[in-house]
Amino acid sequence: MAASISPLVVVDETSDQSQSGGSYEGLKIDPPTVTQESEDGVLHAENVSDSALLGIDIQILHSNRDAFVLPNPSLSKGGEANTHGKYFLGADDLLIKDILRRSVKRQDEAKSKKTRLPFSDLIFTKQFTAFDRLNPASAASPFHGFFTMFWLGIFLLLVKLAADNWRAHGNILGPSELLEMMFDREVFVMGATDVVLCSSTVFCLVLQKAILAGYLSWSKSGWIIQNAFQTIYIGAFVGWSTYRHWPWSHSFFILIHCLVMLMKQHSYAFYNGHLSELYKRKQVLERKLKDLEELHRGSSKDSEATSSTAFASSYLDETQEDALHLRYRAVPSEEFPESDSSRSSIASLVAAVNSGTVLQPEDISHLRTIIESEIDSIQTELRAKCTDDTKQYPSNLTLRNFAQYIPFPTVVYELEYPRRERIDWYYVAEKGAATFGVMVVMNVISQAYIYPVVVSTVRMAEAGMSIGERLQELPWIIVDLLLPLMIEHLLAWYVVWDCLDQLNLLAELTYFADRGFYSSWWNSTSFDQYARDWNRPVHNFLLRHVYHSSIATFHLSKPAAMLATFFLSALVHELVMWCLFRKVRGYLMGMQMLQLPLVELAKTKWMRQRKLLGNVIFWFGIITGPSCLCSLYLIT
């Protein structure tokens, strides 16, 4: 939490004003209020002058308490010991306590070697996808021949379909209802909508600029504004596609692209919002460190003339830089984790703050060291994995940086990504041709094997058949769609994750070197392994911004966080099914949530020893799942 903190407060008991060192110039405090004794030692709201407009809670150090006292030459007369103007150095408890906690935690992590910073769970490296010809492991794989056999089988299937179409329709393409539906209506309107969809994401950059300038605070209103915009964003574009009565192909494209842009801007906003809080905290600590250094120099000069050489750890509550009014309340005592070594400087500071006793000069020196360590820790997180300091926060908040991030084949924002030195245009042509070819194959298979089944189910409904009568046809529809949908599923995965969007073609055009878009999901022995491996970009997003965030923010347990992640994923998948069928049935969401018991089953010792059985169960679900789901949505 960022704040503006002034640990030094000058109180002139002979004046009707008091002024602050640091950032609180012009602070005025009513003398009767300052000197008034209260039972709890807290400055209450009813005793405060209207001119004191600071966003902090103030605890008065009374004259009968020990405090670090330095003569103030500007307020003394003739060099006599000053009894009117005094510097009171107060440790603002919540910030100091948090720093000490983090110091103790870092000591424990150093011993256990389990250091982990927020948002640092991902590592981008130069790598290739499994089926990429540039991947040496793929070319040397003993199963590479099966990859060749698959594409040869697809080619022979196309030859058969072309021959059937020639015999039945007089041309090799056959009927073209799907192509006419996809390209006959409002293609240019859809394209213009997509341009607006992408360009409107710049809102999150504007918001981060406003936060950096101090107009907003991410921890207060910034994250609320961002989430509200994201809700309006997806609602507007989904509503627009519904209003235009677009065919499923148009609506599906806009929805998928909208979800991708939503994840991108969410990651950008929340990562930079987190860094903005660290950046403000660093600025506060740097000001505090400067004040401590000045105090340390002053205490060294006047140590002989000053009988009391300690300062009290007061109870300032968390300060808020942009607050408009004073808040006054007592801060309850908070305990720290005990350090292993009672002689350590951190342990002594912890004990002093916990007990409210005075800090000795050597403790002040230790505190300075701890604050310097905290500043270094924050600077490390602000730099993240950057090799170029010009890319760290806040230098990254530029339109150029944002424009580079948006087309990158990832939905997780980082300050820096591994990049390639040049574009291989032959590679681009190869992937572009592969994309076009696979999409042609998908259209031909859909037209020949899937579209007739869909038409038959529509005719059943138009003929007035009851649900019971249609359900009697369900097994036959499942069988008819079984192999075509399995092939479409595999081809759709390949064209998206190995050829086009989010993937190799786009990565090559943007110099993006991390091609780890998927892992060997076909060897999965459980559905959670499949969820991790088949779509790595989205998995990384869910890992950082849903799973880890729910643990850190809502303090969920790991099983509860996994349940929340699965549920959110299931809701989004159900939204996609609504886009395709214009029906809300919940079949996909229900089946996806039913994977959780299978995941727990796969973790048992009995299943871990039977990898082949786990892979059989996985493939049975992959082959039968799409057919069963589509049949249910079509029939009901």
Side-chain angles (χ1 to χ4, degrees):
M1 179 175 297
S4 178
I5 298 174
S6 178
L8 287 174
V9 179
V10 182
V11 180
D12 183 4
E13 298 175 2
T14 64
S15 172
D16 59 352
Q17 295 179 352
S18 67
Q19 297 180 0
S20 66
S23 61
Y24 293 140
E25 296 181 0
L27 173 62
K28 298 180 180 180
I29 302 179
D30 188 15
T33 303
V34 172
T35 58
Q36 178 182 358
E37 293 288 344
S38 61
E39 181 179 355
D40 54 3
V42 177
L43 180 62
H44 294 280
E46 61 268 21
N47 297 325
V48 180
S49 62
D50 295 336
S51 61
L53 296 178
L54 288 175
I56 60 172
D57 295 343
I58 297 180
Q59 176 88 18
I60 297 303
L61 297 176
H62 299 292
S63 58
N64 59 345
R65 299 186 181 182
D66 292 330
F68 188 87
V69 182
L70 291 179
N72 186 351
S74 64
L75 297 176
S76 62
K77 297 181 180 181
E80 297 178 358
N82 177 25
T83 59
H84 301 298
K86 301 176 182 179
Y87 284 109
F88 292 94
L89 178 59
D92 26 6
D93 291 349
L94 293 187
L95 182 62
I96 297 299
K97 287 182 179 181
D98 184 55
I99 292 174
L100 295 178
R101 286 194 194 94
R102 288 165 63 95
S103 299
V104 174
K105 184 178 180 181
R106 276 197 294 268
Q107 283 188 342
D108 296 338
E109 289 176 342
K111 295 177 182 179
S112 62
K113 298 181 180 180
K114 293 183 179 180
T115 303
R116 178 180 177 276
L117 295 175
F119 291 99
S120 62
D121 43 46
L122 301 177
I123 299 177
F124 288 85
T125 58
K126 291 186 177 182
Q127 56 181 317
F128 298 99
T129 54
F131 295 114
D132 198 311
R133 65 174 176 81
L134 299 179
N135 188 348
S138 176
S141 172
F143 297 99
H144 187 71
F146 283 96
F147 183 72
T148 305
M149 182 195 68
F150 173 81
W151 286 113
L152 183 60
I154 293 295
F155 173 75
L156 294 176
L157 177 63
L158 287 178
V159 171
K160 177 187 180 301
L161 291 175
D164 291 342
N165 288 332
W166 179 267
R167 185 169 58 180
H169 305 286
N171 64 80
I172 62 174
L173 297 178
S176 57
E177 291 94 343
L178 286 178
L179 287 176
E180 291 176 359
M181 178 181 63
M182 292 171 61
F183 296 102
D184 185 54
R185 290 188 53 205
E186 296 195 343
V187 176
F188 292 105
V189 176
M190 182 189 69
T193 301
D194 194 53
V195 170
V196 175
L197 185 148
C198 294
S199 59
S200 58
T201 58
V202 77
F203 171 84
C204 58
L205 172 62
V206 176
L207 178 62
Q208 293 303 318
K209 283 283 194 179
I211 291 172
L212 178 63
Y215 297 113
L216 296 170
S217 172
W218 174 257
S219 61
K220 296 178 184 176
S221 58
W223 68 274
I224 298 176
I225 295 173
Q226 179 64 39
N227 280 325
F229 174 76
Q230 291 172 184
T231 303
I232 296 172
Y233 180 85
I234 190 171
F237 286 105
V238 171
W240 174 251
S241 65
T242 304
Y243 171 75
R244 302 298 298 183
H245 299 289
W246 280 342
W248 70 268
S249 56
H250 294 43
S251 299
F252 179 77
F253 172 78
I254 291 297
L255 175 61
I256 294 299
H257 209 184
C258 182
L259 290 173
V260 170
M261 292 296 110
L262 189 71
M263 289 185 285
K264 276 181 170 288
Q265 60 183 307
H266 181 91
S267 184
Y268 181 90
F270 276 76
Y271 187 27
N272 281 297
H274 167 71
L275 294 182
S276 72
E277 294 297 305
L278 290 177
Y279 184 71
K280 292 179 180 179
R281 181 187 180 97
K282 176 173 171 283
Q283 291 178 318
V284 168
L285 291 175
E286 287 173 344
R287 291 195 296 268
K288 175 174 287 297
L289 184 61
K290 181 180 179 181
D291 290 335
L292 283 175
E293 290 174 349
E294 292 177 355
L295 181 68
H296 182 71
R297 287 195 296 268
S299 64
S300 299
K301 294 178 181 179
D302 298 284
S303 57
E304 296 181 358
T306 307
S307 58
S308 177
T309 58
F311 75 94
S313 55
S314 67
Y315 293 87
L316 285 175
D317 190 14
E318 56 183 307
T319 60
Q320 302 178 7
E321 187 172 10
D322 53 353
L324 298 179
H325 303 286
L326 280 167
R327 296 178 294 115
Y328 308 93
R329 58 182 171 84
V331 179
S333 171
E334 298 184 23
E335 295 301 323
F336 293 95
E338 291 296 333
S339 175
D340 294 338
S341 174
S342 60
R343 296 182 180 179
S344 69
S345 59
I346 298 178
S348 64
L349 286 170
V350 166
V353 175
N354 275 336
S355 61
T357 58
V358 297
L359 302 182
Q360 300 302 320
E362 58 270 19
D363 291 330
I364 301 175
S365 178
H366 295 326
L367 182 59
R368 288 171 54 207
T369 302
I370 291 174
I371 292 177
E372 289 172 351
S373 176
E374 181 71 10
I375 291 174
D376 291 340
S377 175
I378 292 174
Q379 184 60 39
T380 299
E381 192 165 353
L382 289 175
R383 187 182 298 112
K385 306 176 187 70
C386 282
T387 57
D388 183 358
D389 289 343
T390 61
K391 296 181 180 179
Q392 71 182 44
Y393 187 91
S395 301
N396 66 311
L397 297 181
T398 63
L399 186 60
R400 175 185 175 86
N401 178 275
F402 184 78
Q404 287 179 336
Y405 164 66
I406 288 298
F408 278 165
T410 179
V411 291
V412 173
Y413 180 76
E414 284 287 348
L415 297 176
E416 190 175 60
Y417 300 94
R419 308 293 296 278
R420 288 174 62 87
E421 292 76 19
R422 63 183 183 87
I423 296 177
D424 186 345
W425 291 106
Y426 177 78
Y427 183 87
V428 171
E430 174 191 333
K431 290 299 180 181
T435 299
F436 178 77
V438 173
M439 293 182 71
V440 170
V441 172
M442 293 177 65
N443 181 76
V444 170
I445 292 176
S446 298
Q447 182 68 58
Y449 296 112
I450 299 176
Y451 184 72
V453 178
V454 174
V455 171
S456 67
T457 59
V458 172
R459 288 174 178 170
M460 289 180 192
E462 292 176 346
M465 294 179 62
S466 65
I467 292 293
E469 292 173 332
R470 280 181 279 170
L471 286 176
Q472 293 177 3
E473 299 295 324
L474 181 63
W476 309 109
I477 296 174
I478 292 176
V479 171
D480 290 339
L481 292 177
L482 200 63
L483 291 179
L485 282 178
M486 184 194 71
I487 295 175
E488 291 286 81
H489 185 194
L490 294 177
L491 292 178
W493 169 82
Y494 179 76
V495 76
V496 174
W497 273 264
D498 204 85
C499 292
L500 184 63
D501 183 33
Q502 286 212 36
L503 307 249
N504 284 316
L505 177 59
L506 194 57
E508 189 68 26
L509 290 173
T510 57
Y511 300 90
F512 196 81
D514 190 340
R515 312 291 173 87
F517 304 123
Y518 59 87
S519 187
S520 53
W521 58 267
W522 44 88
N523 295 325
S524 298
T525 58
S526 65
F527 284 99
D528 64 327
Q529 181 183 353
Y530 169 69
R532 290 193 302 268
D533 292 345
W534 86 284
N535 186 348
R536 300 290 282 182
V538 172
H539 166 72
N540 290 338
F541 176 86
L542 294 175
L543 178 68
R544 170 187 279 187
H545 295 289
V546 180
Y547 180 79
H548 285 162
S549 293
S550 61
I551 293 175
T553 304
F554 302 107
H555 308 291
L556 298 181
S557 63
K558 289 184 178 180
M562 185 178 72
L563 177 62
T565 304
F566 257 82
F567 183 70
L568 178 63
S569 176
L571 284 177
V572 173
H573 281 82
E574 189 62 34
L575 177 62
V576 173
M577 299 307 288
W578 170 84
C579 175
L580 292 174
F581 296 100
R582 298 298 179 186
K583 300 176 181 177
V584 178
R585 295 293 185 268
Y587 299 136
L588 177 56
M589 184 174 68
M591 288 189 177
Q592 191 167 344
M593 296 305 294
L594 286 176
Q595 291 178 3
L596 289 175
L598 295 177
V599 168
E600 295 303 315
L601 176 63
K603 293 179 180 179
T604 61
K605 182 178 179 181
W606 189 84
M607 281 298 300
R608 287 200 303 268
Q609 296 174 348
R610 292 163 175 80
K611 300 289 186 182
L612 178 59
L613 177 60
N615 191 241
V616 168
I617 294 174
F618 159 74
W619 271 109
F620 182 81
I622 291 297
I623 293 172
T624 60
S627 177
C628 292
L629 283 171
C630 287
S631 299
L632 285 171
Y633 280 100
L634 289 171
I635 287 295
T636 60

